[in-house]
Amino acid sequence: MNINRHKVIISLALLAGGTASCDIPPVAPEIPTATTVAVAAADGETPHRFQFDIVLMDEGARALRTRILAQADRWARIVDGSDLEDIEWGPGTISCGGLEHDFQQDVLDDVFVMISVRDYVAGPTTGSGVRICGFRESSRLPVFGSIFLDIEGVPEGHVDDVVLHHLGHMLGFGLSWGELDLLRNPSWNNEGADTHFTGRMANAAFVAAGGANYAGRKVPVENYWENGTVDYHWRKAVFGTELMGPRLDQHVADPLSAITIQSLADIGYTVNLTEADRYIVPGASASARAAEAGPNLTGDVVATPAVFYDRHGRVVRVVRD
């Protein structure tokens, strides 16, 4: 079987009691209140394939179902073969960021994510956000979380990029860096510091993409609040249009680079570099111009509290700072 072929396994689940979240309007009983989707690779010769378990929490999310699944499938291909520790769970309720799902399986396998799509925030930011409510103690990688997508006013050509960006955070991009001691000089309380990611493979990819002569510490991470959430994105003034920067760019592509993919290898994933888009680190002037356009992802990451679970589903640590 061709190892690049993937399938999407779909099942529908009715949540007891009607709505999936206290602020989601009631839905007629014959319409599912959530769609549960497993996105995984299909290859009978390989014992494990990475899987997103996705619950589409409301009508807005279900309207974007095809687009959400396409972006989840891309990340699944990128980290295909990664075998994260299974977490014993239930059955039982999973809650995160005000969303709840009645989880009727015994084990959380890879990453479970609830997705809601609605108009959350008016103004220049997208209002979209990611909250990871459970991490593995063993690897410091995510177990479960929520994505809130606000695409009101987002140009049609950027909707897929917004979805792809936030699913990247759900894998731990930015959010697992500190726990794995891969983030230096954070800017959260020291704006303008030379914040950087020290992962060896991402550093090599940064150099290979044209960053060899970059004068600062590698790999540069966002350090100014005006560009978006600091410490959890690549630095806009250096990376320009790269997908995992703090804002997207109108009228140009937002490439998912080998640097981003290798950063996932640095935090513990097995990665597939053939999924990388072509990307060259731009000059500073080009990056500054690009930063003036496109959806701003300010505040798209909610970092705390971080709850860590052992493989038996027991809370072993809560980090609030």
Side-chain angles (χ1 to χ4, degrees):
M1 181 178 292
N2 186 337
I3 61 172
N4 291 322
R5 289 178 61 86
H6 291 69
K7 67 180 178 181
V8 177
I9 306 165
I10 304 167
S11 62
L12 299 180
L14 284 174
L15 295 184
T19 61
S21 171
C22 61
D23 57 355
I24 297 175
V27 181
E30 66 272 15
I31 300 176
T33 58
T35 302
T36 305
V37 183
V39 179
D43 183 354
E45 298 178 0
T46 304
H48 182 272
R49 281 296 186 238
F50 183 88
Q51 178 170 296
F52 275 109
D53 282 333
I54 295 175
V55 178
L56 305 177
M57 299 297 293
D58 46 42
E59 289 297 336
R62 287 192 285 277
L64 288 181
R65 176 181 176 279
T66 300
R67 302 177 77 164
I68 290 170
L69 297 191
Q71 306 316 311
D73 183 67
R74 185 174 183 190
W75 281 120
R77 295 196 305 269
I78 288 170
V79 297
D80 194 14
S82 301
D83 191 0
L84 305 187
E85 180 182 57
D86 290 348
I87 304 297
E88 297 174 9
W89 190 261
T93 300
I94 295 179
S95 301
C96 185
L99 301 182
E100 290 188 352
H101 179 66
D102 185 14
F103 187 75
Q104 290 298 311
Q105 302 177 48
D106 295 325
V107 172
L108 285 164
D109 182 11
D110 295 332
V111 178
F112 176 88
V113 55
M114 297 174 282
I115 299 180
S116 174
V117 179
R118 59 176 58 200
D119 187 2
Y120 283 99
V121 176
T125 68
T126 67
S128 298
V130 174
R131 182 163 189 159
I132 298 178
C133 293
F135 291 83
R136 292 167 169 84
E137 175 65 17
S138 57
S139 63
R140 310 300 200 266
L141 295 179
V143 180
F144 64 90
S146 296
I147 295 177
F148 303 88
L149 293 173
D150 183 349
I151 59 172
E152 184 73 24
V154 174
E156 173 64 22
H158 286 294
V159 172
D160 289 345
D161 287 345
V162 170
V163 175
L164 191 65
H165 177 101
H166 286 89
L167 285 167
H169 283 308
M170 275 302 310
L171 292 172
F173 181 94
L175 286 143
S176 291
W177 293 354
E179 277 287 324
L180 291 169
D181 197 29
L182 293 171
L183 184 72
R184 295 289 185 275
N185 300 332
S187 295
W188 188 268
N189 291 314
N190 186 24
E191 187 176 25
D194 191 8
T195 309
H196 57 284
F197 176 79
T198 63
R200 177 179 59 84
M201 286 176 278
N203 269 260
F206 181 78
V207 170
N213 294 325
Y214 173 68
R217 303 297 297 271
K218 304 178 183 65
V219 178
V221 172
E222 186 54 58
N223 57 351
Y224 281 99
W225 285 101
E226 66 182 15
N227 289 332
T229 305
V230 301
D231 296 344
Y232 302 116
H233 300 94
W234 298 136
R235 194 176 304 173
K236 186 65 179 176
V238 178
F239 275 81
T241 63
E242 212 277 346
L243 178 79
M244 296 310 293
R247 70 171 70 209
L248 304 180
D249 300 275
Q250 292 186 12
H251 312 304
V252 296
D254 296 300
L256 199 172
S257 71
I259 307 167
T260 289
I261 293 176
Q262 290 288 47
S263 77
L264 295 180
D266 284 319
I267 66 175
Y269 288 95
T270 300
V271 300
N272 175 11
L273 283 173
T274 66
E275 286 289 328
D277 295 324
R278 187 178 183 277
Y279 172 78
I280 300 296
V281 177
S285 60
S287 301
R289 288 195 298 271
E292 296 174 1
N296 189 331
L297 299 172
T298 295
D300 73 325
V301 175
V302 178
T304 57
V307 182
F308 291 82
Y309 293 85
D310 67 14
R311 65 185 182 88
H312 299 294
R314 298 176 299 209
V315 175
V316 294
R317 270 192 313 135
V318 178
V319 178
R320 301 185 183 279
D321 185 4

